[in-house]
Amino acid sequence: MKVKKKKHLPLLFGVLLAGMILYALILGYMLFWGVTSSFKGRLEFADNILGLPRAWVFENYYYALRNFVSPVGMRNVYLDEMLLYSLLYAGGCAFVSTACCCMMGYATSKFKYKLNTVIYGFVLIAMILPLVGSLPSQIVVFRTLNLYDTMIGMWVAKFNFISVYFMVFHAIFKGLPVSYSEAAKIDGAGNWRIFLSIMLPLVKVTFVTVFLLFFVSYWNDYSTPLLMMKSYPTIALGLYYFRFRQTPDTSPRPVQLAGAIMVFIPILLLFIAFRKKLMGNISLGGLKE
Amino acid sequence: MKRCKLLCLIFAMCFSAISLGGCMGDLFEDGNKNIDATKVQIYVGTYDGGYGQEYLQVWKKEFEELHKDDEYVTPSGETKVGVEVVPNLSSDYGAQLETMIGSAQDDIIFGEAFDYYALAQSGQIAAIDDLVTETSPFDGKSIESKMTTDQINFYKVDGHYYGLPNYEAVYGLYYDVDLFELNGYYFNKNGQLITNAYQAELAAGNLSYGPDGKTGIDPKTGIDYSIDDGLPVNLDQFFTLADRMVEDQVWVMTYADRLQFYYNQFLTSLTANFMGRSEMMLNQDYTGTSYTLVESIDPDGTVHLQEGGVPITPATGYLLQKQAGRYYALEFTEKILDSTKLYAYMPFTGSKNHVDAQDAFLKSRYPDQTSTNTKPIAMLLDSSWWYNEASGTMATMAQTVSPQCAANRRRIGYMPLPNETEGGKQNTLFAANTPSVVIKSSVEDWRMPIVKEFLQFALSDEMLSKYSITTNAVYSLKYTLTDEDEENATYFLKSLMAMHENSEIVYPISTSAIYRVGAGFTSGSARTGFFSLVDGVQKTYPSNALGQDGISAIDYFNGLSAYWTAEAWERTYGTAF
Amino acid sequence: MKRIKNIEKCDFFYKLKRKLKDGIYTLEVALHNKLKRKRKNTASIERENKLNLLFYISLVTLPLLQVVVFYFYVNFNSFFLAFQEYNPVTLRYDWALWKNFDNIWFFVSREKTLLYCFRNSALSYVVTLFISLPLALLFSQYIYKKGPAGGFFKTVLFIPSIIPEMIMTTMFLYFADSFIPATVKGIFGKEIAGLLTQGNTTMLITLLCYSVFISFGGNIIMYSSTMSGIDKSLVEAAQLDGATQMQEFWHITIPMIYPTLSTFITVGVAGIFTHQLSLFSLFGADGNAYNEVWTIGYFLYSRTVYAGSANYPELAAYGLLMTIIAVPLVFTVRYLLSKFGPKTD
């Protein structure tokens, strides 16, 4: 029996709706103000903070683009090269992280070894155990292994399964019926074949979602490249330098805003294009006991 | 799916476009990478901020012209005709120079904030004794003769020169001379503020002698001491002037409140001017005697000094936190940032960075209907490179507001800082940062002579004069502007040159071991920092603490010694003594 | 016998411990068995088992190796680093036992900076727990229940997580420092300081509000997905019984997603020590003018960024001390959550 649809919104929803509208308004207005102010002339900004620009200055974006550099040794790295490094870093690390979680998730769910419980328990503990201040030690270890300041070093560092997504994959693989792999075995397929050709396609959606989530977080991560990979600056690191290494051309606030907007617009467009995949359904089904 | 494929395609295209590589770099760096293979290259690196790099272009043009027909033979037997100076304008490598110089392409580096001594000892920079001590064919003098004794001692490591001084930046108050003359903001010999009667008093020669107590041109040295005539002699006069400015609806000063360390640097300049050279140098060498240590301060601000001189050693360096000059600088801060007095223009609202402060200062005298600020600002607190940084604004204003706003028409000068109580002390300038120019030791033997010659050329009198004209700043050597340049110089440059000549200049350099432990420009060292412990909270910026947190100058001053106790001193610098 | 009793306790923590003990015990048995001569199985099953084992090993070796090096070794090294000091002559680390802790004690006994850090970090966690979390849950409920324009709001709430932190903070910084004072001046005629210019309470409140503002993002996705996995029949039963939205939220939704929720809360405790309140993105490493709003995370990170080899031991010592404080805290929170949490029945 279908429950009748309520004709009016419950009070709770009304309040929440108001809250979310307020949030959207604040966010939207902040972005709108940021965009319009980025077109203001340097001298105009101090006098005309609130309004629309009286004279639209497009040179701000030119200055932002021209000075969006990261210093690597004695040379400057520009936006195009930074884009390449961002793609390598975000894409590579995301792939490596997702693959690791996926591999471990599969291994621990499909095979009956006692080590699995150890691994699962270990991940749980490691995730909640607060080990603070291991960054300096990490840097020291990287230096010893000659992985410091290399892209490969970053990939190795992110080849890690201590994350919530391991549990996600574990839960998903566990939920897959055994009949698929058994049928394949009867047909003579080896384990690797089963994993790559049958299991992976079955979890494709989750794989892509997790990959995208990792990708976004690595794309926006400037703190790791700042500490460990200064020679291959990503766009996020470029933004950091743009803010904190100002030249006379980029010091005016409108130019700073222009630089920020210039990087933001493509990301926003990509997000809108991929939003369904990004905000897909992920749940820690396996944790329900 | 179609949309997904399209996006992937776009991505792939972008990817391949970028992997064709670094086109932006070439686009924006004006094809610096295209070098002329028929000529010998000299790679010169500098930081394209602050003083910019136009001066390099000027030097480049002159030097290339000089050698355009000369022949050079490479070790492989190839003959090259002419020289090409290739400026490299990239990084603000600063203190990273020590690690990066190995991979640097530059032969000559105009750097700043690096540990010169460590670099010299590492063998990565070349010994340049010949270029420094020999008489230069370009101006008939040796570069050594243009250096002060402090500089010679500093740049000589184990008896050899490995580097030379770079720019001279002075943090100070830069005042609008036109405004001062318009409103008559000068004092006469009786210590009275003139205001309306300015023209008459000026004609009658009644202006006071200024903080240095001298006037006119010294017949023996030719140094002009009249640049500070009429300006406040001590802090009392300064605040009398400030009060008058407030009455006249004029802001006394403005500064970049978002960059608090700018104010700290200014405070160091102020402190240096109060203390004089010998006391200030104690903060670098930590050997000598201090005669200005404070015993106690009365609540009304009267300072009682300790009797006799107190010997200072590296182990007792923390005692210098009691130097009276620091207190007077803090007292100045407390007064000028007093929010009830409205001296400083919007010190904490709106959070200006240095560019905003410059713009506000320059625009304040030419407000239009849309300006939020219609009161003129009399002084800007900044470093001497600000005039070059603001050249864009001045050019824009010259076109949109009035031709009088152009950089070469406005009269803005360095304001000789007042003394704390008395007058008649020679002006003291504190040069900020520790910038030096070095030559990489791995330059090939066949190119080294021409590389050295370029540096020698650049530091000749005529070229230094051109440097000053281009950057509106002063280089850290003794030289004067050529007659031709003197005519075209801006008022700003002339005032800087005059100060350069008539002041005692304290460079933040030393050969002491303790200096080397905290060497280079840091805003946190005991020399240039104002670390204070007030109520258990560490304060780094007096402008913040006194202006906003309401801490008194006396408490902050006492906090300096509370922070730098003997134990704290030993923990931080103990390795040096 | 003891084990059967324990099974009845639905306490997650005990289950975990038991599982671990079980796992280790059976691992030992398995190893022991392997070392002994095996009974002969039929050839094909044995071969299949071997292949499975090989495959398993090939899958797990590399990740486990990575964990051993970059988790175990790094953390052990961090532990030892705290007791060492850097020798600039040999470029190595020598043992210095208590020197780092001595320096830390000197710092802590003189200055209140760390006190402020702890206070601000704790405050940030409290705000997260009692403001961000309930709001996120309520918004997730809204979206899960497909309230009007739920999808649109889901996207809007997610946007701040997509935008690089630097961009968001640049805009926020100028917004708080220029726009808000100008607006206040325009409307009320009063001149106020920019919200992020003084290291005082206003700034702390502004930063906390900002951290709530950008926190929704991923949390909402996770919660609303988990909520959508709730058994529909329960919901329908509740609605038939006349439950309001609020009651349904409190009595059904929360208990059903409680395991996920408690995991996040527990993981959040570790976050106290790393959360920076966006200070580094706002001010870089020169946040010296704002000592009173520092957090532990910012304190440690800003020191690490400009640290050289000589400073790492002291930072590792800080880390060790923080860990010693944090670990009992986590387990306390975990215990409290399991004790006072709703049971699924």
Side-chain angles (χ1 to χ4, degrees):
Chain A
M1 195 176 86
K2 256 195 176 169
V3 179
K4 250 205 212 152
K5 248 190 176 168
K6 292 210 164 72
K7 289 236 172 89
H8 55 273
L9 279 178
L11 181 62
L12 178 66
F13 272 20
V15 171
L16 288 176
L17 183 63
M20 286 199 277
I21 290 179
L22 184 66
Y23 184 95
L25 278 177
I26 294 177
L27 184 64
Y29 196 71
M30 198 176 354
L31 292 176
F32 174 74
W33 179 78
V35 171
T36 52
S37 292
S38 68
F39 287 105
K40 288 181 187 157
R42 157 180 173 166
L43 292 174
E44 189 192 329
F45 185 82
D47 293 329
N48 179 23
I49 295 182
L50 293 176
L52 286 174
R54 284 180 219 121
W56 293 75
V57 177
F58 294 95
E59 280 85 31
N60 287 339
Y61 280 86
Y62 173 70
Y63 287 133
L65 186 64
R66 193 198 164 99
N67 289 293
F68 196 89
V69 295
S70 302
V72 173
M74 307 293 271
R75 72 183 184 100
N76 277 342
V77 170
Y78 286 85
L79 193 57
D80 51 353
E81 203 178 327
M82 281 198 265
L83 178 60
L84 180 66
Y85 294 140
S86 270
L87 283 170
L88 281 176
Y89 176 71
C93 290
F95 179 75
V96 148
S97 303
T98 319
C100 186
C101 289
C102 185
M103 278 162 55
M104 288 306 277
Y106 180 70
T108 51
S109 62
K110 284 300 181 197
F111 295 89
K112 307 276 182 293
Y113 296 111
K114 295 302 183 275
L115 188 61
N116 293 338
T117 24
V118 176
I119 291 175
Y120 198 87
F122 162 71
V123 173
L124 273 178
I125 294 185
M127 265 175 51
I128 62 175
L129 197 64
L131 289 174
V132 190
S134 58
L135 266 179
S137 174
Q138 221 172 17
I139 296 178
V140 169
V141 169
F142 265 79
R143 282 219 169 107
T144 326
L145 292 174
N146 276 332
L147 285 176
Y148 183 75
D149 209 21
T150 61
M151 187 66 77
I152 302 211
M154 291 292 102
W155 293 343
V156 169
K158 303 299 181 196
F159 186 66
N160 197 304
F161 61 92
I162 303 177
S163 88
V164 108
Y165 300 114
F166 160 74
M167 297 198 245
V168 167
F169 275 115
H170 179 96
I172 292 204
F173 278 123
K174 213 168 191 145
L176 288 180
V178 177
S179 48
Y180 288 138
S181 54
E182 281 191 348
K185 274 207 182 123
I186 291 174
D187 286 342
N191 275 315
W192 274 107
R193 192 75 191 286
I194 297 177
F195 179 55
L196 292 174
S197 314
I198 299 180
M199 293 298 165
L200 273 187
L202 283 173
V203 298
K204 194 172 63 172
V205 172
T206 312
F207 193 95
V208 169
T209 311
V210 173
F211 174 82
L212 283 175
L213 283 170
F214 270 129
F215 186 86
V216 166
S217 94
Y218 288 134
W219 183 272
N220 293 340
D221 175 26
Y222 70 90
S223 52
T224 317
L226 177 63
L227 276 181
M228 313 244 221
M229 197 178 69
K230 280 207 179 99
S231 297
Y232 302 98
T234 59
I235 291 183
L237 191 54
L239 277 168
Y240 171 81
Y241 284 127
F242 189 72
R243 266 287 293 287
F244 294 110
R245 262 189 76 243
Q246 296 176 352
T247 65
D249 279 338
T250 60
S251 295
R253 281 170 286 178
V255 179
Q256 286 284 305
L257 284 170
I261 302 288
M262 181 179 75
V263 175
F264 165 56
I265 297 291
I267 295 178
L268 184 66
L269 291 175
L270 275 173
F271 168 61
I272 292 179
F274 280 106
R275 75 176 178 285
K276 289 246 165 57
K277 290 232 158 61
L278 262 173
M279 299 194 295
N281 270 346
I282 302 229
S283 59
L284 302 177
L287 268 193
K288 278 202 228 153
E289 314 243 359
Chain B
M1 204 51 198
K2 251 193 194 159
R3 186 182 64 177
C4 187
K5 277 190 181 155
L6 183 63
L7 278 164
C8 289
L9 189 63
I10 295 175
F11 242 107
M13 275 165 50
C14 291
F15 203 105
S16 48
I18 6 159
S19 47
L20 291 179
C23 42
M24 266 190 186
D26 296 333
L27 190 68
F28 288 136
E29 284 183 10
D30 301 324
N32 269 338
K33 312 292 178 231
N34 302 326
I35 56 170
D36 189 340
T38 64
K39 300 196 175 138
V40 178
Q41 277 70 40
I42 301 176
Y43 296 93
V44 185
T46 187
Y47 169 50
D48 186 16
Y51 294 118
Q53 42 84 20
E54 288 81 12
Y55 68 90
L56 258 191
Q57 306 289 349
V58 169
W59 285 345
K60 165 186 157 87
K61 202 167 119 216
E62 299 277 336
F63 194 70
E64 286 178 357
E65 184 61 34
L66 200 65
H67 286 281
K68 66 175 192 283
D69 297 321
D70 292 345
E71 288 188 358
Y72 303 91
V73 184
T74 70
S76 52
E78 200 188 329
T79 310
K80 296 196 189 252
V81 181
V83 161
E84 186 186 12
V85 176
V86 184
N88 179 4
L89 314 171
S90 54
S91 333
D92 172 18
Y93 30 81
Q96 313 293 325
L97 185 60
E98 295 145 53
T99 41
M100 290 187 193
I101 193 169
S103 54
Q105 196 192 26
D106 306 318
D107 304 318
I108 305 177
I109 297 157
F110 286 87
E112 57 178 24
F114 59 88
D115 188 346
Y116 168 75
Y117 185 76
L119 198 58
Q121 296 238 299
S122 71
Q124 290 181 300
I125 49 180
I128 50 175
D129 302 303
D130 44 358
L131 121 81
V132 179
T133 53
E134 75 182 22
T135 312
S136 160
F138 301 108
D139 59 5
K141 297 185 213 168
S142 71
I143 297 183
E144 199 178 26
S145 65
K146 303 186 208 181
M147 293 164 68
T148 66
T149 326
D150 291 330
Q151 287 173 320
I152 292 175
N153 289 339
F154 178 74
Y155 284 101
K156 252 196 191 160
V157 175
D158 300 331
H160 295 283
Y161 285 104
Y162 290 91
L164 285 170
N166 193 348
Y167 60 77
E168 182 175 290
V170 182
Y171 281 85
L173 289 171
Y174 293 87
Y175 72 112
D176 191 332
V177 181
D178 294 323
L179 181 69
F180 268 56
E181 287 184 358
L182 197 67
N183 291 4
Y185 287 143
Y186 293 101
F187 291 85
N188 63 17
K189 292 202 179 92
N190 300 331
Q192 292 161 326
L193 195 54
I194 301 176
T195 59
N196 296 335
Y198 172 64
Q199 291 298 338
E201 296 270 25
L202 177 67
N206 271 346
L207 288 185
S208 77
Y209 290 162
D212 64 0
K214 292 191 240 185
T215 190
I217 298 181
D218 188 322
K220 273 186 284 179
T221 57
I223 297 179
D224 185 1
Y225 291 100
S226 62
I227 190 124
D228 63 350
D229 287 357
L231 288 173
V233 161
N234 53 30
L235 285 180
D236 283 335
Q237 282 193 357
F238 186 90
F239 283 103
T240 310
L241 175 59
D243 289 331
R244 177 61 202 229
M245 283 180 176
V246 173
E247 271 177 44
D248 287 347
Q249 298 288 310
V250 169
W251 294 108
V252 176
M253 66 90 127
T254 189
Y255 77 105
D257 53 278
R258 185 49 96 186
L259 302 172
Q260 299 286 346
F261 67 89
Y262 263 43
Y263 193 91
N264 267 31
Q265 290 291 90
F266 165 71
L267 271 191
T268 312
S269 283
L270 195 59
T271 313
N273 198 51
F274 289 153
M275 293 206 283
R277 186 179 169 282
S278 58
E279 287 279 337
M280 195 63 187
M281 283 304 289
L282 286 174
N283 285 290
Q284 262 119 249
D285 300 329
Y286 294 100
T287 44
T289 313
S290 174
Y291 296 96
T292 61
L293 295 188
V294 165
E295 176 75 46
S296 66
I297 306 178
D298 295 338
D300 67 353
T302 316
V303 175
H304 302 282
L305 296 178
Q306 290 180 20
E307 297 288 322
V310 178
I312 301 290
T313 65
T316 59
Y318 59 92
L319 293 173
L320 289 174
Q321 296 299 316
K322 283 205 173 296
Q323 282 176 310
R326 292 178 208 258
Y327 170 70
Y328 289 113
L330 290 169
E331 194 189 2
F332 175 86
T333 308
E334 191 182 19
K335 286 194 176 145
I336 201 144
L337 294 180
D338 187 345
S339 50
T340 59
K341 289 286 180 62
L342 298 178
Y343 292 140
Y345 171 59
M346 280 172 66
F348 300 112
T349 59
S351 72
K352 300 187 293 305
N353 63 16
H354 55 296
V355 158
D356 300 323
Q358 290 158 15
D359 291 348
F361 173 66
L362 290 168
K363 247 196 111 182
S364 65
R365 285 228 291 127
Y366 301 91
D368 54 37
Q369 316 94 299
T370 59
S371 301
T372 45
N373 173 42
T374 50
K375 288 161 51 168
I377 303 175
M379 303 179 220
L380 172 70
L381 188 157
D382 209 317
S383 174
S384 48
W385 56 58
W386 81 266
Y387 211 70
N388 193 48
E389 278 182 341
S391 49
T393 305
M394 287 192 270
T396 312
M397 282 178 73
Q399 286 182 335
T400 56
V401 178
S402 152
Q404 203 52 33
C405 300
N408 57 0
R409 299 278 282 272
R410 284 196 80 147
R411 292 193 303 150
I412 299 173
Y414 176 90
M415 175 146 179
L417 295 170
N419 302 305
E420 64 272 40
T421 47
E422 306 300 320
K425 269 199 305 193
Q426 185 178 17
N427 290 317
T428 310
L429 294 180
F430 185 79
N433 304 358
T434 47
S436 311
V437 54
V438 296
I439 298 183
K440 214 171 57 166
S441 58
S442 58
V443 175
E444 305 94 338
D445 290 335
W446 67 276
R447 277 199 313 129
M448 188 60 101
I450 191 75
V451 167
K452 283 188 178 174
E453 191 190 323
F454 177 74
L455 190 56
Q456 197 176 36
F457 174 75
L459 300 186
S460 63
D461 281 358
E462 195 188 336
M463 287 302 120
L464 285 177
S465 176
K466 288 217 183 318
Y467 172 91
S468 291
I469 293 292
T470 319
T471 59
N472 275 309
V474 177
Y475 203 88
S476 308
L477 292 172
K478 293 181 210 163
Y479 67 102
T480 51
L481 295 176
T482 62
D483 292 333
E484 184 195 335
D485 288 337
E486 178 92 35
E487 274 178 34
N488 298 329
T490 60
Y491 187 95
F492 186 81
L493 179 60
K494 285 187 196 157
S495 80
L496 279 183
M497 287 298 295
M499 293 304 298
H500 178 74
E501 281 168 17
N502 72 23
S503 312
E504 281 261 35
I505 306 181
V506 177
Y507 295 101
I509 54 182
S510 169
T511 49
S512 66
I514 189 169
Y515 171 89
R516 287 181 192 139
V517 173
F521 165 63
T522 56
S523 58
S525 68
R527 292 176 276 120
T528 54
F530 280 82
F531 280 164
S532 175
L533 200 61
V534 181
D535 282 338
V537 182
Q538 185 220 317
K539 301 284 177 195
T540 313
Y541 301 114
S543 47
N544 229 4
L546 272 58
Q548 296 183 61
D549 300 343
I551 296 176
S552 74
I554 296 177
D555 287 337
Y556 199 95
F557 177 74
N558 289 333
L560 293 174
S561 315
Y563 187 87
W564 287 112
T565 57
E567 194 184 353
W569 187 261
E570 215 239 296
R571 275 172 195 265
T572 318
Y573 298 111
T575 50
F577 55 82
Chain C
M1 273 298 132
K2 211 177 174 182
R3 289 222 184 109
I4 295 174
K5 267 202 201 143
N6 280 351
I7 288 173
E8 263 151 1
K9 275 195 182 161
C10 280
D11 197 306
F12 181 74
F13 185 63
Y14 282 115
K15 260 198 185 164
L16 179 62
K17 226 164 89 174
R18 184 177 62 83
K19 260 192 183 161
L20 264 178
K21 276 195 186 152
D22 243 346
I24 295 176
Y25 175 71
T26 44
L27 189 66
E28 282 177 349
V29 168
L31 267 176
H32 185 244
N33 281 339
K34 285 216 169 69
L35 288 174
K36 274 170 54 177
R37 286 262 161 82
K38 269 201 303 209
R39 261 185 297 132
K40 287 219 159 75
N41 283 325
T42 58
S44 60
I45 299 178
E46 194 180 306
R47 197 177 126 259
E48 191 184 318
N49 283 346
K50 254 200 192 136
L51 281 177
N52 280 353
L53 184 63
L54 269 173
F55 176 66
Y56 182 80
I57 290 177
S58 63
L59 267 189
V60 308
T61 317
L62 278 178
L64 282 181
L65 188 65
Q66 203 265 13
V67 158
V68 163
V69 173
F70 290 99
Y71 185 81
F72 285 110
Y73 182 68
V74 163
N75 286 311
F76 274 121
N77 191 40
S78 183
F79 178 79
F80 290 128
L81 203 57
F83 297 97
Q84 295 173 333
E85 77 171 336
Y86 185 66
N87 188 331
V89 176
T90 62
L91 299 184
R92 299 193 105 94
Y93 291 102
D94 304 326
W95 289 104
L97 270 201
W98 301 115
K99 181 164 180 232
N100 295 318
F101 297 99
D102 189 39
N103 280 339
I104 293 177
W105 176 248
F106 179 71
F107 175 69
V108 168
S109 58
R110 276 199 335 161
E111 297 187 38
K112 292 186 193 162
T113 310
L114 272 181
L115 269 176
Y116 283 122
C117 285
F118 272 102
R119 179 199 73 178
N120 295 331
S121 289
L123 205 57
S124 154
Y125 183 66
V126 162
V127 162
T128 313
L129 204 56
F130 292 109
I131 300 182
S132 291
L133 185 62
L135 276 178
L137 286 171
L138 286 171
F139 286 148
S140 306
Q141 166 91 342
Y142 183 97
I143 292 168
Y144 146 65
K145 287 291 189 193
K146 303 213 177 359
F152 169 73
F153 284 119
K154 191 173 168 189
T155 314
V156 165
L157 286 167
F158 197 66
I159 285 181
S161 314
I162 290 290
I163 304 180
E165 203 183 338
M166 255 323 152
I167 292 179
M168 199 71 210
T169 49
T170 305
M171 280 196 290
F172 177 66
L173 181 67
Y174 297 139
F175 191 74
D177 274 348
S178 309
F179 183 85
I180 303 248
T183 312
V184 167
K185 185 158 185 209
I187 299 179
F188 302 108
K190 220 174 81 160
E191 287 225 21
I192 58 164
L195 295 178
L196 292 171
T197 50
Q198 310 173 23
N200 57 7
T201 324
T202 316
M203 186 170 179
L204 190 58
I205 294 177
T206 313
L207 288 171
L208 287 170
C209 286
Y210 180 69
S211 76
V212 169
F213 193 79
I214 57 172
S215 70
F216 295 120
N219 291 347
I220 293 204
I221 306 299
M222 194 66 84
Y223 294 142
S224 55
S225 313
T226 320
M227 280 178 188
S228 58
I230 294 178
D231 200 353
K232 289 280 187 308
S233 57
L234 271 174
V235 174
E236 280 184 6
Q239 283 177 345
L240 278 172
D241 283 343
T244 63
Q245 283 291 339
M246 218 31 220
Q247 283 176 328
E248 187 190 326
F249 178 71
W250 189 247
H251 291 288
I252 297 188
T253 319
I254 298 285
M256 292 311 286
I257 64 166
Y258 196 70
T260 313
L261 197 59
S262 61
T263 311
F264 275 110
I265 295 180
T266 319
V267 172
V269 175
I272 297 181
F273 297 89
T274 51
H275 191 49
Q276 291 176 17
L277 269 188
S278 308
L279 277 171
F280 195 82
S281 317
L282 283 168
F283 304 112
D286 185 30
N288 280 326
Y290 319 108
N291 275 3
E292 279 112 63
V293 300
W294 281 13
T295 61
I296 301 173
Y298 178 71
F299 176 77
L300 288 176
Y301 187 76
S302 59
R303 283 201 175 192
T304 314
V305 168
Y306 291 108
S309 305
N311 310 101
Y312 291 147
E314 190 168 319
L315 289 168
Y318 273 113
L320 183 60
L321 288 174
M322 302 293 178
T323 309
I324 292 176
I325 299 173
V327 169
L329 202 62
V330 164
F331 286 112
T332 315
V333 167
R334 189 86 214 177
Y335 171 71
L336 286 174
L337 279 174
S338 51
K339 187 154 183 217
F340 294 112
K343 307 278 184 279
T344 47
D345 49 10

